[in-house]
Each structure stands twice: as C-alpha cells, then as structure tokens.
Amino acid sequence: MIEISSLDQKILQALQQGLPLASRPYEEIGRQVGASEAEVIARLEQLLEQGVIRRLGIVTKHRQLGYTSNAMVVWDIPDDLEPEMGKRFSEFDFVTLCYRRKRYRPKWPYNLFCMIHGQDRETVLQQVAHLRKTCGLEQVAYDVLFSGQCFKQRGAHYFKTA
Amino acid sequence: MELTALHRRLLNEFQRDFPLTPQPFKEIAENLGIQEQDVLQMLCDLQESGIISRTGAVLRPNHVGVSTLVAMSVPPEKLDQVARIVNAFPEVNHNYEREHEYNLWFVVIASSPKHLQTVLDRIQKKTGHEVLDLPMLQEYHIDLGFELQWK
C-alpha cells in the first residue's frame, strides 16, 4: 500500500464512475476535484507510471459479450512448486488472472487461483485439461468453479471509511 | 444490441492506453476514421446495453486500500437472501454465485486492514454464516485488458 495525495485520491474516486463522455473529459474531472485539465492529465500519467493505475480504458463486462462461462479454477499446488506454476499458468492466453491466495487446510486446500473466461463450458473444461496435461498436474487436486448468477458487479469504491 | 466492426475495434483497441490528451475521444475517432461524436455515441450505447461498465481506470489491487476475496457456503434456498445482505455493504463488489459447496464469492475493498476486518465480522454476524477470507498473496497475471475473440 502506498500513500497517495488527496488530489490523486479525488481524481481516482471521480474516475471510478468512469470518464465523463464529453469532448474534454479531463477538464470535467478537473472541475469536480478542483484542478486544471493539464494537472489531471499529469497526475494520471504519474499514477499510471507508478502502477497505481494498471490500465486506463474501456472496462468490458465479459458476460455480456458472450463469455458466459467464467470459471475460477483452483489448485492445491505444493508450496515449493507454486511460484513456478503461477508463472507458467499466466503465460496461457486463456488465463485472464492468476493469483496465489491463502489456503486453509483441510477445508480449503487450494492456493493457486486462475480465471478462465470462455464462450462455453466445454471450451473452458478443455482448457483446464490442457493446463493439467501441459504443466504435469495430473496428480494435483483441483476444482473448477463455474459462475452462476451475478449478484453485483461494479467498479470498486475506494477510500470509503468504516 | 448488434455489434458492428467499429464497435469491435473500439472494444479491442481501447481497453488500455487510452489517450491522455485533452480530447481523447477525438483522438480515438481519428484512429477509427470517424467523428468524435460517433465515438461518444458508441460508448454511450455500449454502456447502456451493459456491454461495458465504464471507460475509466483499473487500479492495481492492494495498492490503494486493501482487498480480499471472500467465500461463503450458504444453503441454496438462502442464497438470494444472503447475497442481498452482502450486497448492501458498499465495500462489496463482484458478488457471484459459483457452483461449489462454497457457493457465494465476492470481493471486499476497504481503506485499511482494520476496516476490512470490521466489514468481514459484520457480514458474518448479519448473515449468520462463516466467511472464508482468501487474501491475495502473490499476483502472477496482470490485467491489461482482454483480447476478445469474436464468434
């Protein structure tokens, strides 16, 4: 976690709702946060460079684009093999996210999570089979969690305090 | 809505590296060989039909504030009710049903570790179900947008 200025926080907060669909969107953001258009652009450049903003652009909803089979695939990878496996997984173009998370044996033995978005269930399962085979994971416990209903999906709200 | 070739180009080419110039939509329009007003209209339509959520920033997780992934195991007949309770928290987003014994999955984002813990405790108390707190320990894949394969 890094400290960021209150101006940056305001800019990021304004951006959570999306850029105004107007000819001079940065000027409008500037008006909301009390900064000039040039300042807003300069701050955004800096935040991108620092990696606080990972990307700036159109944020799609995969499900609405026919990517209805969104599966979270979880793996119980031995700790010593895990870093290498995480890197290998992330090289497959059908893996859209890959994280190591805390595990809780025995109720939750899985430590490596990857997301696969596919146009149908069949394709996703073939991709999982491909991962198991290519990475030599035939003996490793795993589970495929297809998504059902979406109860809530929106841009994150940052900086809310309890 | 019916997606045209232009919509597809717009979606594929501007998920990242959005122009940081005073008139970004004009720059995109020039790139696609159309008018600024057409780009604004297309983005508005795409948003209206729920294909895009916004044109904005995707922040690096845990860089600003703290977040975690939470799983809950809820009896199927109570899933809707519990999901509603969970959704009422402003710190919650990406709340999905998944086909597993742990059938409710969502992300919690808070301003500090203490705030995060408070939210998790409250969710547990209000729903009467245990939460499994699965914080990210290492990220291997960076979200740089998504190459869309058209059918």
Side-chain angles (χ1 to χ4, degrees), chain A residues 19 26 54 58-59 64 67 98 100-101 104 107 121 148 151-152 159, chain B residues 14 19 50 53 55 58 64 87 95 97 99 130 133-134 137-138 140 149:
Chain A
L19 274 179
Y26 303 116
R54 171 145 295 165
I58 298 172
V59 183
Q64 304 293 332
Y67 287 76
C98 184
R100 173 162 60 96
R101 295 188 179 275
Y104 298 84
K107 62 180 173 183
R121 202 173 268 253
F151 294 112
K152 193 179 197 179
F159 320 118
Chain B
F14 296 96
S53 64
T55 301
V58 172
V64 179
N87 279 354
N95 188 6
E97 173 191 13
E99 298 169 12
E130 193 193 357
D133 173 15
L134 299 164
L137 303 174
Q138 175 76 45
Y140 293 106
Q149 311 285 330

PDB file of all heavy atoms in Angstrom, chain A residues 19 26 54 58-59 64 67 98 100-101 104 107 121 148 151-152 159, chain B residues 14 19 50 53 55 58 64 87 95 97 99 130 133-134 137-138 140 149:
ATOM      1  N   LEU A  19     -14.940   7.960 -17.020  1.00  0.00           N
ATOM      2  CA  LEU A  19     -14.692   9.288 -17.588  1.00  0.00           C
ATOM      3  C   LEU A  19     -16.014   9.849 -18.094  1.00  0.00           C
ATOM      4  O   LEU A  19     -16.799   9.117 -18.693  1.00  0.00           O
ATOM      5  CB  LEU A  19     -13.759   9.176 -18.798  1.00  0.00           C
ATOM      6  CG  LEU A  19     -12.257   9.171 -18.604  1.00  0.00           C
ATOM      7  CD1 LEU A  19     -11.594   9.026 -19.967  1.00  0.00           C
ATOM      8  CD2 LEU A  19     -11.779  10.454 -17.938  1.00  0.00           C
ATOM      9  N   TYR A  26     -11.155  15.292 -19.204  1.00  0.00           N
ATOM     10  CA  TYR A  26     -10.211  15.571 -18.112  1.00  0.00           C
ATOM     11  C   TYR A  26     -10.472  16.945 -17.504  1.00  0.00           C
ATOM     12  O   TYR A  26     -10.229  17.173 -16.328  1.00  0.00           O
ATOM     13  CB  TYR A  26      -8.762  15.444 -18.599  1.00  0.00           C
ATOM     14  CG  TYR A  26      -8.471  14.080 -19.180  1.00  0.00           C
ATOM     15  CD1 TYR A  26      -8.126  13.922 -20.525  1.00  0.00           C
ATOM     16  CD2 TYR A  26      -8.564  12.933 -18.390  1.00  0.00           C
ATOM     17  CE1 TYR A  26      -7.877  12.668 -21.071  1.00  0.00           C
ATOM     18  CE2 TYR A  26      -8.318  11.672 -18.931  1.00  0.00           C
ATOM     19  CZ  TYR A  26      -7.980  11.548 -20.272  1.00  0.00           C
ATOM     20  OH  TYR A  26      -7.745  10.311 -20.799  1.00  0.00           O
ATOM     21  N   ARG A  54      -3.516   0.521 -13.219  1.00  0.00           N
ATOM     22  CA  ARG A  54      -2.974  -0.553 -14.034  1.00  0.00           C
ATOM     23  C   ARG A  54      -3.282  -0.314 -15.500  1.00  0.00           C
ATOM     24  O   ARG A  54      -2.459  -0.549 -16.367  1.00  0.00           O
ATOM     25  CB  ARG A  54      -3.612  -1.847 -13.583  1.00  0.00           C
ATOM     26  CG  ARG A  54      -3.300  -2.971 -14.490  1.00  0.00           C
ATOM     27  CD  ARG A  54      -3.167  -4.218 -13.739  1.00  0.00           C
ATOM     28  NE  ARG A  54      -2.034  -4.159 -12.852  1.00  0.00           N
ATOM     29  CZ  ARG A  54      -1.825  -5.000 -11.872  1.00  0.00           C
ATOM     30  NH1 ARG A  54      -2.693  -5.935 -11.635  1.00  0.00           N
ATOM     31  NH2 ARG A  54      -0.764  -4.912 -11.132  1.00  0.00           N
ATOM     32  N   ILE A  58     -11.407   1.239 -21.732  1.00  0.00           N
ATOM     33  CA  ILE A  58     -12.757   0.693 -21.677  1.00  0.00           C
ATOM     34  C   ILE A  58     -12.765  -0.554 -20.792  1.00  0.00           C
ATOM     35  O   ILE A  58     -11.929  -1.436 -20.950  1.00  0.00           O
ATOM     36  CB  ILE A  58     -13.230   0.329 -23.104  1.00  0.00           C
ATOM     37  CG1 ILE A  58     -13.287   1.597 -23.973  1.00  0.00           C
ATOM     38  CG2 ILE A  58     -14.576  -0.374 -23.068  1.00  0.00           C
ATOM     39  CD1 ILE A  58     -13.568   1.316 -25.444  1.00  0.00           C
ATOM     40  N   VAL A  59     -13.683  -0.593 -19.857  1.00  0.00           N
ATOM     41  CA  VAL A  59     -13.798  -1.759 -18.980  1.00  0.00           C
ATOM     42  C   VAL A  59     -15.036  -2.535 -19.424  1.00  0.00           C
ATOM     43  O   VAL A  59     -16.159  -2.054 -19.305  1.00  0.00           O
ATOM     44  CB  VAL A  59     -13.897  -1.324 -17.499  1.00  0.00           C
ATOM     45  CG1 VAL A  59     -13.950  -2.544 -16.593  1.00  0.00           C
ATOM     46  CG2 VAL A  59     -12.719  -0.427 -17.122  1.00  0.00           C
ATOM     47  N   GLN A  64     -21.534 -10.104 -20.940  1.00  0.00           N
ATOM     48  CA  GLN A  64     -22.422  -9.507 -21.928  1.00  0.00           C
ATOM     49  C   GLN A  64     -21.881  -9.690 -23.337  1.00  0.00           C
ATOM     50  O   GLN A  64     -22.549  -9.418 -24.297  1.00  0.00           O
ATOM     51  CB  GLN A  64     -22.609  -8.009 -21.648  1.00  0.00           C
ATOM     52  CG  GLN A  64     -23.107  -7.718 -20.253  1.00  0.00           C
ATOM     53  CD  GLN A  64     -24.515  -8.222 -20.039  1.00  0.00           C
ATOM     54  OE1 GLN A  64     -25.283  -8.302 -20.972  1.00  0.00           O
ATOM     55  NE2 GLN A  64     -24.846  -8.591 -18.813  1.00  0.00           N
ATOM     56  N   TYR A  67     -19.180 -14.211 -23.231  1.00  0.00           N
ATOM     57  CA  TYR A  67     -18.251 -15.001 -22.426  1.00  0.00           C
ATOM     58  C   TYR A  67     -18.990 -15.429 -21.171  1.00  0.00           C
ATOM     59  O   TYR A  67     -18.773 -14.927 -20.089  1.00  0.00           O
ATOM     60  CB  TYR A  67     -17.007 -14.195 -22.078  1.00  0.00           C
ATOM     61  CG  TYR A  67     -16.115 -14.007 -23.267  1.00  0.00           C
ATOM     62  CD1 TYR A  67     -16.435 -13.102 -24.260  1.00  0.00           C
ATOM     63  CD2 TYR A  67     -14.974 -14.786 -23.410  1.00  0.00           C
ATOM     64  CE1 TYR A  67     -15.645 -12.962 -25.377  1.00  0.00           C
ATOM     65  CE2 TYR A  67     -14.166 -14.644 -24.521  1.00  0.00           C
ATOM     66  CZ  TYR A  67     -14.514 -13.734 -25.507  1.00  0.00           C
ATOM     67  OH  TYR A  67     -13.722 -13.606 -26.606  1.00  0.00           O
ATOM     68  N   CYS A  98      -4.294 -14.652 -12.498  1.00  0.00           N
ATOM     69  CA  CYS A  98      -3.703 -15.773 -11.766  1.00  0.00           C
ATOM     70  C   CYS A  98      -3.096 -15.257 -10.464  1.00  0.00           C
ATOM     71  O   CYS A  98      -2.254 -14.362 -10.478  1.00  0.00           O
ATOM     72  CB  CYS A  98      -2.642 -16.462 -12.627  1.00  0.00           C
ATOM     73  SG  CYS A  98      -1.932 -17.914 -11.846  1.00  0.00           S
ATOM     74  N   ARG A 100      -1.893 -16.258  -6.205  1.00  0.00           N
ATOM     75  CA  ARG A 100      -1.758 -17.162  -5.058  1.00  0.00           C
ATOM     76  C   ARG A 100      -2.542 -16.539  -3.914  1.00  0.00           C
ATOM     77  O   ARG A 100      -2.448 -15.340  -3.677  1.00  0.00           O
ATOM     78  CB  ARG A 100      -0.301 -17.315  -4.638  1.00  0.00           C
ATOM     79  CG  ARG A 100      -0.137 -18.124  -3.346  1.00  0.00           C
ATOM     80  CD  ARG A 100       1.281 -18.646  -3.184  1.00  0.00           C
ATOM     81  NE  ARG A 100       2.257 -17.573  -3.125  1.00  0.00           N
ATOM     82  CZ  ARG A 100       2.728 -17.056  -1.991  1.00  0.00           C
ATOM     83  NH1 ARG A 100       2.328 -17.501  -0.826  1.00  0.00           N
ATOM     84  NH2 ARG A 100       3.618 -16.077  -2.036  1.00  0.00           N
ATOM     85  N   ARG A 101      -3.351 -17.370  -3.248  1.00  0.00           N
ATOM     86  CA  ARG A 101      -4.125 -16.889  -2.106  1.00  0.00           C
ATOM     87  C   ARG A 101      -3.878 -17.785  -0.908  1.00  0.00           C
ATOM     88  O   ARG A 101      -3.350 -18.887  -1.034  1.00  0.00           O
ATOM     89  CB  ARG A 101      -5.624 -16.874  -2.442  1.00  0.00           C
ATOM     90  CG  ARG A 101      -5.987 -15.889  -3.537  1.00  0.00           C
ATOM     91  CD  ARG A 101      -7.495 -15.768  -3.704  1.00  0.00           C
ATOM     92  NE  ARG A 101      -7.837 -14.798  -4.733  1.00  0.00           N
ATOM     93  CZ  ARG A 101      -7.937 -13.486  -4.547  1.00  0.00           C
ATOM     94  NH1 ARG A 101      -7.720 -12.970  -3.349  1.00  0.00           N
ATOM     95  NH2 ARG A 101      -8.246 -12.685  -5.530  1.00  0.00           N
ATOM     96  N   TYR A 104      -6.575 -22.770   3.614  1.00  0.00           N
ATOM     97  CA  TYR A 104      -6.967 -23.207   4.952  1.00  0.00           C
ATOM     98  C   TYR A 104      -7.199 -24.705   4.898  1.00  0.00           C
ATOM     99  O   TYR A 104      -8.319 -25.153   4.641  1.00  0.00           O
ATOM    100  CB  TYR A 104      -8.273 -22.522   5.383  1.00  0.00           C
ATOM    101  CG  TYR A 104      -8.212 -21.009   5.477  1.00  0.00           C
ATOM    102  CD1 TYR A 104      -8.394 -20.222   4.341  1.00  0.00           C
ATOM    103  CD2 TYR A 104      -7.997 -20.383   6.698  1.00  0.00           C
ATOM    104  CE1 TYR A 104      -8.350 -18.841   4.427  1.00  0.00           C
ATOM    105  CE2 TYR A 104      -7.950 -19.002   6.790  1.00  0.00           C
ATOM    106  CZ  TYR A 104      -8.134 -18.239   5.646  1.00  0.00           C
ATOM    107  OH  TYR A 104      -8.098 -16.876   5.729  1.00  0.00           O
ATOM    108  N   LYS A 107     -10.216 -27.431   5.124  1.00  0.00           N
ATOM    109  CA  LYS A 107     -11.483 -27.040   4.486  1.00  0.00           C
ATOM    110  C   LYS A 107     -11.291 -26.348   3.150  1.00  0.00           C
ATOM    111  O   LYS A 107     -12.169 -26.376   2.292  1.00  0.00           O
ATOM    112  CB  LYS A 107     -12.351 -26.192   5.428  1.00  0.00           C
ATOM    113  CG  LYS A 107     -11.744 -24.883   5.856  1.00  0.00           C
ATOM    114  CD  LYS A 107     -12.703 -24.132   6.797  1.00  0.00           C
ATOM    115  CE  LYS A 107     -11.998 -22.900   7.341  1.00  0.00           C
ATOM    116  NZ  LYS A 107     -12.818 -22.181   8.303  1.00  0.00           N
ATOM    117  N   ARG A 121     -18.934 -23.782 -21.632  1.00  0.00           N
ATOM    118  CA  ARG A 121     -18.397 -24.636 -20.595  1.00  0.00           C
ATOM    119  C   ARG A 121     -17.403 -25.675 -21.137  1.00  0.00           C
ATOM    120  O   ARG A 121     -16.353 -25.925 -20.544  1.00  0.00           O
ATOM    121  CB  ARG A 121     -19.609 -25.359 -19.985  1.00  0.00           C
ATOM    122  CG  ARG A 121     -19.456 -25.896 -18.640  1.00  0.00           C
ATOM    123  CD  ARG A 121     -20.806 -26.394 -18.193  1.00  0.00           C
ATOM    124  NE  ARG A 121     -21.508 -25.339 -17.494  1.00  0.00           N
ATOM    125  CZ  ARG A 121     -21.674 -25.354 -16.160  1.00  0.00           C
ATOM    126  NH1 ARG A 121     -21.257 -26.364 -15.446  1.00  0.00           N
ATOM    127  NH2 ARG A 121     -22.295 -24.363 -15.571  1.00  0.00           N
ATOM    128  N   GLY A 148     -22.362 -18.770 -11.476  1.00  0.00           N
ATOM    129  CA  GLY A 148     -23.801 -18.799 -11.699  1.00  0.00           C
ATOM    130  C   GLY A 148     -24.291 -17.371 -11.825  1.00  0.00           C
ATOM    131  O   GLY A 148     -23.735 -16.596 -12.592  1.00  0.00           O
ATOM    132  N   PHE A 151     -24.555 -11.355  -8.666  1.00  0.00           N
ATOM    133  CA  PHE A 151     -25.374 -10.543  -7.749  1.00  0.00           C
ATOM    134  C   PHE A 151     -24.960  -9.078  -7.751  1.00  0.00           C
ATOM    135  O   PHE A 151     -25.731  -8.218  -7.408  1.00  0.00           O
ATOM    136  CB  PHE A 151     -25.275 -11.086  -6.318  1.00  0.00           C
ATOM    137  CG  PHE A 151     -25.882 -12.447  -6.148  1.00  0.00           C
ATOM    138  CD1 PHE A 151     -25.087 -13.551  -5.877  1.00  0.00           C
ATOM    139  CD2 PHE A 151     -27.247 -12.624  -6.261  1.00  0.00           C
ATOM    140  CE1 PHE A 151     -25.649 -14.808  -5.708  1.00  0.00           C
ATOM    141  CE2 PHE A 151     -27.818 -13.879  -6.095  1.00  0.00           C
ATOM    142  CZ  PHE A 151     -27.014 -14.974  -5.823  1.00  0.00           C
ATOM    143  N   LYS A 152     -23.717  -8.826  -8.063  1.00  0.00           N
ATOM    144  CA  LYS A 152     -23.235  -7.444  -8.044  1.00  0.00           C
ATOM    145  C   LYS A 152     -21.930  -7.390  -8.819  1.00  0.00           C
ATOM    146  O   LYS A 152     -21.040  -8.194  -8.611  1.00  0.00           O
ATOM    147  CB  LYS A 152     -22.978  -7.013  -6.600  1.00  0.00           C
ATOM    148  CG  LYS A 152     -22.762  -5.515  -6.387  1.00  0.00           C
ATOM    149  CD  LYS A 152     -22.552  -5.256  -4.890  1.00  0.00           C
ATOM    150  CE  LYS A 152     -22.736  -3.810  -4.497  1.00  0.00           C
ATOM    151  NZ  LYS A 152     -22.549  -3.586  -3.054  1.00  0.00           N
ATOM    152  N   PHE A 159     -11.550   4.027  -0.766  1.00  0.00           N
ATOM    153  CA  PHE A 159     -11.440   5.085   0.263  1.00  0.00           C
ATOM    154  C   PHE A 159     -12.677   5.292   1.111  1.00  0.00           C
ATOM    155  O   PHE A 159     -12.792   6.270   1.793  1.00  0.00           O
ATOM    156  CB  PHE A 159     -11.067   6.441  -0.355  1.00  0.00           C
ATOM    157  CG  PHE A 159     -10.061   6.338  -1.446  1.00  0.00           C
ATOM    158  CD1 PHE A 159     -10.383   6.737  -2.722  1.00  0.00           C
ATOM    159  CD2 PHE A 159      -8.807   5.821  -1.200  1.00  0.00           C
ATOM    160  CE1 PHE A 159      -9.461   6.639  -3.733  1.00  0.00           C
ATOM    161  CE2 PHE A 159      -7.886   5.717  -2.210  1.00  0.00           C
ATOM    162  CZ  PHE A 159      -8.211   6.124  -3.487  1.00  0.00           C
TER     163      PHE A 159
ATOM    164  N   PHE B  14      -9.120  -0.161 -27.245  1.00  0.00           N
ATOM    165  CA  PHE B  14      -9.050   0.901 -26.240  1.00  0.00           C
ATOM    166  C   PHE B  14      -9.367   0.439 -24.822  1.00  0.00           C
ATOM    167  O   PHE B  14      -9.872   1.192 -24.015  1.00  0.00           O
ATOM    168  CB  PHE B  14      -9.900   2.105 -26.670  1.00  0.00           C
ATOM    169  CG  PHE B  14      -9.371   2.720 -27.930  1.00  0.00           C
ATOM    170  CD1 PHE B  14      -9.904   2.390 -29.167  1.00  0.00           C
ATOM    171  CD2 PHE B  14      -8.273   3.563 -27.879  1.00  0.00           C
ATOM    172  CE1 PHE B  14      -9.379   2.912 -30.334  1.00  0.00           C
ATOM    173  CE2 PHE B  14      -7.730   4.094 -29.042  1.00  0.00           C
ATOM    174  CZ  PHE B  14      -8.286   3.772 -30.274  1.00  0.00           C
ATOM    175  N   PRO B  19      -6.040   7.502 -24.669  1.00  0.00           N
ATOM    176  CA  PRO B  19      -5.250   8.732 -24.867  1.00  0.00           C
ATOM    177  C   PRO B  19      -5.338   9.703 -23.685  1.00  0.00           C
ATOM    178  O   PRO B  19      -6.432   9.998 -23.212  1.00  0.00           O
ATOM    179  CB  PRO B  19      -5.874   9.359 -26.121  1.00  0.00           C
ATOM    180  CG  PRO B  19      -6.678   8.294 -26.767  1.00  0.00           C
ATOM    181  CD  PRO B  19      -7.051   7.306 -25.713  1.00  0.00           C
ATOM    182  N   GLY B  50     -25.074  -2.488 -21.380  1.00  0.00           N
ATOM    183  CA  GLY B  50     -24.395  -3.312 -20.374  1.00  0.00           C
ATOM    184  C   GLY B  50     -23.195  -4.086 -20.892  1.00  0.00           C
ATOM    185  O   GLY B  50     -22.728  -5.016 -20.248  1.00  0.00           O
ATOM    186  N   SER B  53     -18.774  -1.507 -18.600  1.00  0.00           N
ATOM    187  CA  SER B  53     -19.234  -0.915 -17.343  1.00  0.00           C
ATOM    188  C   SER B  53     -18.862   0.551 -17.279  1.00  0.00           C
ATOM    189  O   SER B  53     -19.565   1.355 -16.704  1.00  0.00           O
ATOM    190  CB  SER B  53     -18.695  -1.677 -16.144  1.00  0.00           C
ATOM    191  OG  SER B  53     -17.302  -1.590 -16.101  1.00  0.00           O
ATOM    192  N   THR B  55     -15.687   3.688 -18.972  1.00  0.00           N
ATOM    193  CA  THR B  55     -14.378   3.970 -19.536  1.00  0.00           C
ATOM    194  C   THR B  55     -13.623   4.632 -18.400  1.00  0.00           C
ATOM    195  O   THR B  55     -13.970   5.725 -17.977  1.00  0.00           O
ATOM    196  CB  THR B  55     -14.498   4.936 -20.727  1.00  0.00           C
ATOM    197  OG1 THR B  55     -15.343   4.316 -21.697  1.00  0.00           O
ATOM    198  CG2 THR B  55     -13.144   5.203 -21.347  1.00  0.00           C
ATOM    199  N   VAL B  58      -8.517   0.964 -14.124  1.00  0.00           N
ATOM    200  CA  VAL B  58      -8.457  -0.270 -13.351  1.00  0.00           C
ATOM    201  C   VAL B  58      -7.243  -0.117 -12.452  1.00  0.00           C
ATOM    202  O   VAL B  58      -6.124   0.081 -12.928  1.00  0.00           O
ATOM    203  CB  VAL B  58      -8.309  -1.501 -14.267  1.00  0.00           C
ATOM    204  CG1 VAL B  58      -8.059  -2.755 -13.445  1.00  0.00           C
ATOM    205  CG2 VAL B  58      -9.566  -1.672 -15.114  1.00  0.00           C
ATOM    206  N   VAL B  64      -3.977   0.661  -3.374  1.00  0.00           N
ATOM    207  CA  VAL B  64      -4.687   1.734  -2.701  1.00  0.00           C
ATOM    208  C   VAL B  64      -5.786   1.043  -1.911  1.00  0.00           C
ATOM    209  O   VAL B  64      -6.629   0.386  -2.483  1.00  0.00           O
ATOM    210  CB  VAL B  64      -5.336   2.672  -3.740  1.00  0.00           C
ATOM    211  CG1 VAL B  64      -6.094   3.775  -3.044  1.00  0.00           C
ATOM    212  CG2 VAL B  64      -4.291   3.237  -4.678  1.00  0.00           C
ATOM    213  N   ASN B  87     -24.615  -7.652  -0.469  1.00  0.00           N
ATOM    214  CA  ASN B  87     -24.583  -6.541  -1.432  1.00  0.00           C
ATOM    215  C   ASN B  87     -24.830  -5.190  -0.785  1.00  0.00           C
ATOM    216  O   ASN B  87     -24.424  -4.159  -1.325  1.00  0.00           O
ATOM    217  CB  ASN B  87     -25.655  -6.734  -2.510  1.00  0.00           C
ATOM    218  CG  ASN B  87     -25.200  -7.696  -3.582  1.00  0.00           C
ATOM    219  OD1 ASN B  87     -24.052  -8.118  -3.581  1.00  0.00           O
ATOM    220  ND2 ASN B  87     -26.087  -8.038  -4.479  1.00  0.00           N
ATOM    221  N   ASN B  95     -19.874  -9.757  -6.732  1.00  0.00           N
ATOM    222  CA  ASN B  95     -20.502 -10.805  -5.942  1.00  0.00           C
ATOM    223  C   ASN B  95     -21.157 -11.821  -6.883  1.00  0.00           C
ATOM    224  O   ASN B  95     -22.085 -11.491  -7.605  1.00  0.00           O
ATOM    225  CB  ASN B  95     -21.541 -10.158  -5.019  1.00  0.00           C
ATOM    226  CG  ASN B  95     -22.110 -11.150  -4.020  1.00  0.00           C
ATOM    227  OD1 ASN B  95     -21.656 -12.287  -3.947  1.00  0.00           O
ATOM    228  ND2 ASN B  95     -23.103 -10.723  -3.260  1.00  0.00           N
ATOM    229  N   GLU B  97     -22.479 -16.010  -7.637  1.00  0.00           N
ATOM    230  CA  GLU B  97     -22.753 -17.388  -7.240  1.00  0.00           C
ATOM    231  C   GLU B  97     -21.768 -18.276  -7.987  1.00  0.00           C
ATOM    232  O   GLU B  97     -21.491 -18.026  -9.161  1.00  0.00           O
ATOM    233  CB  GLU B  97     -24.184 -17.742  -7.660  1.00  0.00           C
ATOM    234  CG  GLU B  97     -24.511 -19.196  -7.450  1.00  0.00           C
ATOM    235  CD  GLU B  97     -25.828 -19.611  -8.103  1.00  0.00           C
ATOM    236  OE1 GLU B  97     -26.379 -18.865  -8.927  1.00  0.00           O
ATOM    237  OE2 GLU B  97     -26.279 -20.715  -7.779  1.00  0.00           O
ATOM    238  N   GLU B  99     -20.629 -22.585  -8.628  1.00  0.00           N
ATOM    239  CA  GLU B  99     -21.099 -23.949  -8.431  1.00  0.00           C
ATOM    240  C   GLU B  99     -20.111 -24.733  -7.583  1.00  0.00           C
ATOM    241  O   GLU B  99     -19.156 -25.327  -8.093  1.00  0.00           O
ATOM    242  CB  GLU B  99     -21.269 -24.626  -9.801  1.00  0.00           C
ATOM    243  CG  GLU B  99     -22.297 -23.940 -10.663  1.00  0.00           C
ATOM    244  CD  GLU B  99     -22.269 -24.451 -12.100  1.00  0.00           C
ATOM    245  OE1 GLU B  99     -21.607 -25.486 -12.368  1.00  0.00           O
ATOM    246  OE2 GLU B  99     -22.896 -23.795 -12.953  1.00  0.00           O
ATOM    247  N   GLU B 130     -20.289 -18.363   8.200  1.00  0.00           N
ATOM    248  CA  GLU B 130     -18.852 -18.121   8.297  1.00  0.00           C
ATOM    249  C   GLU B 130     -18.308 -17.571   6.974  1.00  0.00           C
ATOM    250  O   GLU B 130     -18.757 -17.973   5.907  1.00  0.00           O
ATOM    251  CB  GLU B 130     -18.163 -19.452   8.616  1.00  0.00           C
ATOM    252  CG  GLU B 130     -16.740 -19.318   9.050  1.00  0.00           C
ATOM    253  CD  GLU B 130     -16.012 -20.666   9.054  1.00  0.00           C
ATOM    254  OE1 GLU B 130     -16.652 -21.702   8.765  1.00  0.00           O
ATOM    255  OE2 GLU B 130     -14.806 -20.662   9.336  1.00  0.00           O
ATOM    256  N   ASP B 133     -11.807 -15.977   4.381  1.00  0.00           N
ATOM    257  CA  ASP B 133     -11.076 -14.788   3.940  1.00  0.00           C
ATOM    258  C   ASP B 133      -9.842 -15.248   3.150  1.00  0.00           C
ATOM    259  O   ASP B 133      -8.934 -15.846   3.702  1.00  0.00           O
ATOM    260  CB  ASP B 133     -10.687 -14.007   5.203  1.00  0.00           C
ATOM    261  CG  ASP B 133      -9.780 -12.821   4.928  1.00  0.00           C
ATOM    262  OD1 ASP B 133      -9.663 -12.412   3.758  1.00  0.00           O
ATOM    263  OD2 ASP B 133      -9.191 -12.305   5.898  1.00  0.00           O
ATOM    264  N   LEU B 134      -9.839 -14.981   1.828  1.00  0.00           N
ATOM    265  CA  LEU B 134      -8.779 -15.512   0.960  1.00  0.00           C
ATOM    266  C   LEU B 134      -7.954 -14.380   0.348  1.00  0.00           C
ATOM    267  O   LEU B 134      -8.049 -14.101  -0.857  1.00  0.00           O
ATOM    268  CB  LEU B 134      -9.401 -16.360  -0.151  1.00  0.00           C
ATOM    269  CG  LEU B 134     -10.197 -17.586   0.320  1.00  0.00           C
ATOM    270  CD1 LEU B 134     -11.081 -18.125  -0.793  1.00  0.00           C
ATOM    271  CD2 LEU B 134      -9.254 -18.681   0.816  1.00  0.00           C
ATOM    272  N   LEU B 137      -1.871 -13.284  -2.073  1.00  0.00           N
ATOM    273  CA  LEU B 137      -0.507 -13.241  -1.543  1.00  0.00           C
ATOM    274  C   LEU B 137       0.494 -12.933  -2.646  1.00  0.00           C
ATOM    275  O   LEU B 137       1.566 -12.397  -2.397  1.00  0.00           O
ATOM    276  CB  LEU B 137      -0.158 -14.585  -0.877  1.00  0.00           C
ATOM    277  CG  LEU B 137      -1.110 -15.009   0.250  1.00  0.00           C
ATOM    278  CD1 LEU B 137      -0.775 -16.401   0.741  1.00  0.00           C
ATOM    279  CD2 LEU B 137      -1.067 -14.009   1.401  1.00  0.00           C
ATOM    280  N   GLN B 138       0.132 -13.289  -3.862  1.00  0.00           N
ATOM    281  CA  GLN B 138       1.036 -13.045  -4.982  1.00  0.00           C
ATOM    282  C   GLN B 138       0.204 -12.969  -6.251  1.00  0.00           C
ATOM    283  O   GLN B 138      -0.728 -13.740  -6.425  1.00  0.00           O
ATOM    284  CB  GLN B 138       2.050 -14.188  -5.069  1.00  0.00           C
ATOM    285  CG  GLN B 138       2.977 -14.144  -6.254  1.00  0.00           C
ATOM    286  CD  GLN B 138       4.070 -13.099  -6.082  1.00  0.00           C
ATOM    287  OE1 GLN B 138       4.677 -13.001  -5.020  1.00  0.00           O
ATOM    288  NE2 GLN B 138       4.306 -12.310  -7.103  1.00  0.00           N
ATOM    289  N   TYR B 140       0.272 -13.197 -10.354  1.00  0.00           N
ATOM    290  CA  TYR B 140       1.099 -13.673 -11.467  1.00  0.00           C
ATOM    291  C   TYR B 140       0.660 -13.127 -12.808  1.00  0.00           C
ATOM    292  O   TYR B 140       1.395 -13.152 -13.764  1.00  0.00           O
ATOM    293  CB  TYR B 140       1.080 -15.200 -11.538  1.00  0.00           C
ATOM    294  CG  TYR B 140       1.764 -15.833 -10.364  1.00  0.00           C
ATOM    295  CD1 TYR B 140       1.030 -16.446  -9.366  1.00  0.00           C
ATOM    296  CD2 TYR B 140       3.145 -15.769 -10.242  1.00  0.00           C
ATOM    297  CE1 TYR B 140       1.651 -17.004  -8.274  1.00  0.00           C
ATOM    298  CE2 TYR B 140       3.771 -16.328  -9.147  1.00  0.00           C
ATOM    299  CZ  TYR B 140       3.028 -16.944  -8.170  1.00  0.00           C
ATOM    300  OH  TYR B 140       3.644 -17.488  -7.083  1.00  0.00           O
ATOM    301  N   GLN B 149     -12.328 -12.558 -28.598  1.00  0.00           N
ATOM    302  CA  GLN B 149     -12.402 -13.419 -29.778  1.00  0.00           C
ATOM    303  C   GLN B 149     -13.835 -13.403 -30.258  1.00  0.00           C
ATOM    304  O   GLN B 149     -14.715 -13.794 -29.521  1.00  0.00           O
ATOM    305  CB  GLN B 149     -12.008 -14.871 -29.425  1.00  0.00           C
ATOM    306  CG  GLN B 149     -10.728 -14.997 -28.651  1.00  0.00           C
ATOM    307  CD  GLN B 149      -9.506 -14.786 -29.513  1.00  0.00           C
ATOM    308  OE1 GLN B 149      -9.528 -15.072 -30.705  1.00  0.00           O
ATOM    309  NE2 GLN B 149      -8.451 -14.258 -28.944  1.00  0.00           N
TER     310      GLN B 149
END
